[in-house]
Amino acid sequence: MKFCEQLGNYIEQLSCTAKELCELSGISPSTFSRYRSGERIPEIDTVAFDGLCNALEAVAREKGYGDMTRENIKRAFLDCEDIIPADRESMRQNFNTLISALDINIKRMCKEINYDVSTVFRIRNGTRKPADPERFVAAIAGFTARELRTPTEISAVAQLVGCNESDIEDVSQRYEVICKWLFSDHARQSREIKSGGIEKFLDKLDEFDLNEYIKAIRFDEMKVPALPFQLPVSKSYFGIKEMMESELDFLKATVLSRSNEPVIMYSDMPMKEMADDPEFPKKWMFGMALMLKKGLHLCQIHDLDRSLDDMMLGLESWIPMYMTGQIAPYYLKNVQNNAFFAFTEGIRCSGSFRGSRGRLSQRGQILSHQVQKGAWILS
């Protein structure tokens, strides 16, 4: 039986509604709907899974099903064929890390340990559980310990499992350490640290409705102003606060200009510090909405060298705007040195700055340079 089928059985047996379980568990209606349809399965030992078990127990107690305790409900879910227990999930995550970090040849490994390639592939993506996890891990550890013998390879293993090279010089030592590492729960602990931001983002994404968003920010009622506005030929900005001001100045000038040329923007400013100002995100979003309302096409160059928290904050802001179809995403790949980043925290280019003269500045200032179709604004 699958998780969605077991959940459906509980709902039918208890004659309860999805709304009731959502209110008791704290799970969003859209996420709960995905659980019921089988599109999504909660991870074991997460807030969502525990909340669902607690909610079902509360409804069962209220309706006189005394034997339907939280532990019995949890055990029934764990017996589902598509649920991977926490310890096996940690092993799967560690196994994938081992393969990627040490560049292990999957075909050669499967041949040596006598496992079918397709079986190992399904174990890696979580659609199949190893029938005997201990035997599977022993086989993987044994192959890895024998295969990686050179000083460079041993050093790579030591860095991965977090030990000294001298501790795994012997094959038997490597085997023991890799076995223990594959069964460790450090991957799950890492996911738990990160899950708060990721789960929050996914829940918001599940609940996002573009039409509701348009109404909430009154995007359909916005009128692009036509008041005359002109930026100075050159202006310097220092520090985070003034850099935020430069973002708003650029948006204002772009919206009020007569140009309909595409806009190019890049920024590596820290999202968390920008979000600490309660007014800036509102003003920035309003400026972006007006720019898109004007019909301008935006080429956005994203900075991917960010923390997880910064990435989540950025996604929450950008996804609604990407749904307009007016934004083309780009990112910088294989940056060879930090010279560019030492002088800049952002690039902005629009037709409103055509004809400006350029000068190089120190970090935190603007650099304007005349180009054929607009001006680069580096800050």
Side-chain angles (χ1 to χ4, degrees), residues 52-296:
L52 179 60
C53 294
N54 292 334
L56 287 168
E57 181 188 45
V59 174
R61 191 188 312 115
E62 182 182 341
K63 300 194 175 183
Y65 291 90
D67 59 336
M68 197 179 291
T69 63
R70 178 184 180 282
E71 290 305 317
N72 289 338
I73 293 169
K74 185 174 182 179
R75 192 176 302 113
F77 280 138
L78 290 176
D79 288 338
C80 294
E81 61 188 67
D82 52 351
I83 283 286
I84 301 178
D87 58 341
R88 297 191 185 185
E89 176 61 13
S90 291
M91 183 272 291
R92 185 184 73 85
Q93 293 283 344
N94 293 340
F95 175 46
N96 281 330
T97 302
L98 183 80
I99 296 295
S100 302
L102 303 181
D103 195 24
I104 291 176
N105 187 306
I106 297 290
K107 290 185 179 180
R108 177 176 169 78
M109 180 193 71
C110 290
K111 183 178 179 180
E112 290 288 329
I113 67 176
N114 198 26
Y115 269 81
D116 185 69
V117 175
S118 60
T119 299
V120 171
F121 175 78
R122 288 194 290 271
I123 291 173
R124 290 191 68 188
N125 64 24
T127 58
R128 179 165 179 173
K129 311 172 189 175
D132 186 342
E134 286 76 14
R135 176 178 172 273
F136 179 76
V137 165
I140 297 298
F143 170 80
T144 305
R146 295 190 303 271
E147 186 76 3
L148 305 180
R149 301 184 295 268
T150 68
T152 301
E153 291 169 337
I154 292 174
S155 175
V157 174
Q159 290 181 23
L160 178 65
V161 301
C163 69
N164 297 322
E165 296 174 27
S166 58
D167 296 335
I168 55 173
E169 290 179 348
D170 185 70
V171 173
S172 61
Q173 291 175 318
R174 288 199 295 279
Y175 168 79
E176 292 293 338
V177 169
I178 294 171
C179 266
K180 183 178 179 181
W181 182 84
L182 283 169
F183 270 128
S184 65
D185 63 354
H186 67 87
R188 182 170 63 87
Q189 291 170 353
S190 177
R191 289 196 305 278
E192 287 175 355
I193 293 171
K194 297 178 180 179
S195 64
I198 295 175
E199 287 188 1
K200 181 180 177 182
F201 166 72
L202 290 176
D203 285 340
K204 286 186 177 181
L205 188 60
D206 285 340
E207 297 168 1
F208 180 77
D209 185 299
L210 182 59
N211 292 325
E212 290 297 323
Y213 178 79
I214 289 173
K215 290 179 182 178
I217 67 170
R218 298 182 179 178
F219 186 77
D220 51 340
E221 302 174 11
M222 285 181 179
K223 296 188 182 300
V224 179
L227 295 175
F229 178 81
Q230 185 176 1
L231 265 182
V233 174
S234 177
K235 184 176 180 180
S236 298
Y237 296 89
F238 299 88
I240 292 294
K241 289 293 183 182
E242 292 194 15
M243 294 308 304
M244 291 159 63
E245 181 186 339
S246 75
E247 290 268 339
L248 301 179
D249 283 349
F250 174 81
L251 292 173
K252 185 187 296 184
T254 300
V255 169
L256 294 175
S257 74
R258 296 180 181 179
S259 172
N260 289 315
E261 295 179 11
V263 179
I264 301 172
M265 294 179 65
Y266 164 82
S267 176
D268 62 351
M269 291 171 61
M271 296 294 296
K272 288 187 71 176
E273 292 190 38
M274 294 164 67
D276 286 341
D277 184 338
E279 293 302 315
F280 176 77
K282 299 176 186 176
K283 294 177 181 178
W284 183 84
M285 186 64 77
F286 183 75
M288 291 292 295
L290 281 176
M291 187 174 70
L292 297 175
K293 182 77 172 181
K294 183 179 176 181
L296 298 179

